[in-house]
Amino acid sequence: MAFDKDSIIASLKEATIMDLADLVSAIEEEFGVSAAAPVAVAGAAAGAEAAQTEFDVELTSVGNAKVQVIKAVREVTGLGLKEAKALVDNAPSNVKEGVSEDEANELKAKLEETGASITVK
């Protein structure tokens, strides 16, 4: 018997929802597959992306007040003068990593007051 795609499509158009549900079940059983698995995986991946809880605060550029930025970086990180200066000199660089959204926004506001450009990732 030859495979006749057109007659299969015509049969599907005439089938009821219950007939189609039975067909899906029979195909799953016969071939050992599941029609629901890809949907569940896609849903889980979308849920993981939506729930970001940790953010990185990145100094993207220093601006004109480098000394003020160094002071602000020292204040928010607790770094020494040499370490804070190195962090500012090597911009773009992360000021803090893995902080909450509120803390990241506070750090961003504080550093932007000095003229620095900040990105929260």
Side-chain angles (χ1 to χ4, degrees), residues 59-104:
L59 173 68
T60 53
S61 72
V62 177
N64 294 331
K66 183 177 178 180
V67 174
Q68 304 321 89
V69 175
I70 293 171
K71 287 181 180 180
V73 167
R74 286 188 67 201
E75 184 180 328
V76 299
T77 62
L79 294 173
L81 179 61
K82 184 177 180 180
E83 293 83 6
K85 183 179 181 308
L87 189 142
V88 170
D89 287 340
N90 293 320
S93 55
N94 284 342
V95 176
K96 278 201 169 182
E97 297 177 346
V99 297
S100 69
E101 184 176 11
D102 291 338
E103 184 178 355

Side-chain angles (χ1 to χ4, degrees), residues 10-38:
S11 296
L12 290 174
K13 286 181 180 179
E14 295 172 9
T16 66
I17 298 296
M18 291 304 295
D19 292 337
L20 293 175
D22 291 340
L23 176 64
V24 169
S25 297
I27 290 172
E28 288 176 338
E29 187 176 312
E30 178 69 26
F31 296 105
V33 295
S34 174

